Amino acid sequence: MGPIFTPADEWSYVVALVIGIGFGFILESAGFSSARKLAGVFYGYDFIVIRVFFTAAITAGLGLLYFHYLGWIDLEQVFVNRFYIGPTIIGGVFAGIGMLLGGFCPGTSFSAAAIGKIDAMIFIGGIMIGAFIFDLAYPLYSEFYKSGALGPVKVYDSIGISKELFVLLFVIIAIAVFVITAKIQTKVSNKIQKY
Amino acid sequence: MENTKKYMNPYLAGFILGLIILFSFWHTREGLGSSGAVKRAVAKIEQIVVPSHIENPNSYFHKYVKNGKEPLKNRLVFMVIGLLLGGFISGIINNRLKLKLEHSPKLTSKKRIIAAVLGGVMFGIGASFARGCASGGGLSAMAVFATSGFVLVAVMFGTGYLFAWFFRKLWL
């Protein structure tokens, strides 16, 4: 029964390398290696990022539940991100503006830098500077950084509905988003300049 | 450019990416991540250049060197090496390898460079506060139905839509 290795196990480095290759290959193949694709989400001319992102989240989420039902994975052993209310929200605001300015997120910038996108290499340099700035100013908000700790909470518990109902709603909402954004994209992409 | 292949169907790409994330959890208990490796690279540079700073237990990156740990000896570093390799392989197959600063024709190269640096800086700060970026703190967290993942993705895209108007000249 999975998970097979712990993160400290050196085999997990090899697995991580292989997973990284698949991850980078898919990001580049799907077009995330162009900053225009991620920016398109916010201007309505290209929603592929939304399609890939939510399809991946649903596939992995449903897959984990199936693996659990079949007894192939112990979900108690799987890492669940801890929720810190304030820091998560502030982090999201910074990251959102970062996406608008750069047209990348860290993952996509690596897949773009790999094919020679100079803007992506510059973006990666920026992330390093940003992480360094965060570290330098850390004493100013070290208390805030640890505040609002709710632990590894699950979204269906936070909302107060059953896991099954949440998964169903999530899939329905995703399909609705796919349909609506496809319509918006058809309308908007005719009006704007291609490059 | 005429030889450049079209991009993969996004739903197929998403499905395969989902299987990769599933495989990752099944094997290593954890999902994807990319900002972690960047933070660790910064920690490594600090360890070499300003060791006294990072050895301070109150410093943010101290957790990466605590008890004689090596900051770069982590699965996320290997994942990012893989990410670069995977992107490069796809670039070869699809004939998209080219050194290029991509930007809107209405925008100067200089402005694109400034926007890209600032975007990176904002993301670097954001991914530190949020304890992860879109891949680790967002996508992989959503796959395990972590509340933090749903909140981070909602705030990230929400902020994007809220401020998109101010940055429209960068893209349209």
Side-chain angles (χ1 to χ4, degrees), chain B residues 14-152:
Chain B
F15 179 67
I16 299 171
L17 185 57
L19 294 182
I20 292 170
I21 297 169
L22 180 60
F23 181 83
S24 179
F25 276 113
W26 188 39
H27 275 77
T28 67
R29 305 193 331 151
E30 292 176 3
L32 307 176
S34 45
S35 61
V38 182
K39 290 179 209 165
R40 286 171 179 278
V42 175
K44 184 70 197 173
I45 295 169
E46 284 189 4
Q47 195 185 32
I48 296 165
V49 183
V50 279
S52 58
H53 171 68
I54 199 165
E55 290 304 331
N56 178 347
N58 294 323
S59 109
Y60 174 59
F61 287 134
H62 183 70
K63 58 189 173 188
Y64 295 147
V65 295
K66 199 162 56 181
N67 306 325
K69 273 192 279 190
E70 163 58 49
L72 294 183
K73 202 180 165 209
N74 181 273
R75 61 184 282 279
L76 292 177
V77 175
F78 288 85
M79 186 169 288
V80 162
I81 296 168
L83 233 173
L84 287 167
L85 282 173
F88 186 71
I89 295 167
S90 171
I92 296 173
I93 293 174
N94 296 300
N95 199 17
R96 279 195 286 265
L97 288 186
K98 196 183 173 202
L99 211 56
K100 182 184 173 191
L101 182 77
E102 194 179 38
H103 60 82
S104 159
K106 293 176 195 161
L107 200 71
T108 61
S109 294
K110 193 180 158 193
K111 279 189 181 152
R112 173 66 181 132
I113 289 170
I114 295 168
V117 175
L118 290 179
V121 170
M122 294 297 278
F123 224 119
I125 296 171
S128 299
F129 270 116
R131 296 167 167 81
C133 59
S135 42
L139 184 52
S140 304
M142 280 171 80
V144 292
F145 302 105
T147 307
S148 71
F150 283 86
V151 173
L152 178 60

Side-chain angles (χ1 to χ4, degrees), chain A residues 57-73:
Chain A
I58 288 171
T59 305
L62 289 181
L64 281 171
L65 294 180
Y66 271 114
F67 273 37
H68 175 65
Y69 290 136
L70 295 170
W72 293 352
I73 194 164

Side-chain angles (χ1 to χ4, degrees), chain A residues 3-5 10 28-29 34 41 43 56 79 100 102 107 114-116 118-119 122 135 145 153-155 158 193, chain B residues 8 14 26-27 29 34 46 53 73 82 84 90 96 98 100 102 106 112 117 120 131 145 147 161 164 171:
Chain A
I4 299 172
F5 309 112
E10 295 199 349
E28 205 295 313
S29 300
S34 167
V41 172
Y43 299 100
F79 173 77
L100 281 177
I115 64 158
I118 299 164
D119 43 331
I122 295 167
D135 171 46
Y145 182 71
V153 282
K154 301 282 185 103
V155 63
S158 300
Q193 187 189 358
Chain B
M8 190 188 279
W26 188 39
H27 275 77
R29 305 193 331 151
S34 45
E46 284 189 4
H53 171 68
K73 202 180 165 209
L84 287 167
S90 171
R96 279 195 286 265
K98 196 183 173 202
K100 182 184 173 191
E102 194 179 38
K106 293 176 195 161
R112 173 66 181 132
V117 175
R131 296 167 167 81
F145 302 105
T147 307
Y161 280 108
W171 305 104

Side-chain angles (χ1 to χ4, degrees), chain A:
Chain A
M1 187 156 81
I4 299 172
F5 309 112
T6 68
D9 197 323
E10 295 199 349
W11 266 107
S12 80
Y13 299 163
V14 180
V15 177
L17 183 75
V18 175
I19 288 163
I21 293 174
F23 183 25
F25 186 89
I26 290 297
L27 289 185
E28 205 295 313
S29 300
F32 287 52
S33 53
S34 167
R36 256 180 68 73
K37 294 278 179 192
L38 182 52
V41 172
F42 301 109
Y43 299 100
Y45 61 79
D46 198 331
F47 285 100
I48 65 132
V49 170
I50 294 283
R51 290 177 200 138
V52 175
F53 192 90
F54 285 98
T55 310
I58 288 171
T59 305
L62 289 181
L64 281 171
L65 294 180
Y66 271 114
F67 273 37
H68 175 65
Y69 290 136
L70 295 170
W72 293 352
I73 194 164
D74 177 7
L75 285 183
E76 296 298 311
Q77 298 290 319
V78 166
F79 173 77
V80 177
N81 309 54
R82 293 174 175 275
F83 183 35
Y84 296 79
I85 308 169
T88 302
I89 293 171
I90 293 294
V93 171
F94 272 96
I97 294 173
M99 287 200 296
L100 281 177
L101 280 163
F104 292 114
C105 67
T108 67
S109 67
F110 281 107
S111 78
I115 64 158
K117 291 282 166 69
I118 299 164
D119 43 331
M121 299 172 195
I122 295 167
F123 185 85
I124 294 169
I127 306 172
M128 295 183 77
I129 299 169
F132 183 60
I133 293 172
F134 183 87
D135 171 46
L136 283 185
Y138 185 63
L140 296 177
Y141 40 69
S142 59
E143 289 302 314
F144 172 71
Y145 182 71
K146 293 166 197 150
S147 69
L150 295 185
V153 282
K154 301 282 185 103
V155 63
Y156 36 79
D157 295 328
S158 300
I159 303 173
I161 58 174
S162 75
K163 178 164 56 176
E164 291 76 12
L165 179 61
F166 178 81
V167 173
L168 179 68
L169 289 176
F170 186 37
V171 173
I172 292 172
I173 291 169
I175 293 171
V177 169
F178 294 155
V179 173
I180 295 164
T181 53
K183 287 192 172 154
I184 296 172
Q185 183 172 328
T186 321
K187 277 191 177 171
V188 176
S189 62
N190 293 328
K191 288 186 200 153
I192 68 144
Q193 187 189 358
K194 305 257 186 330
Y195 59 90

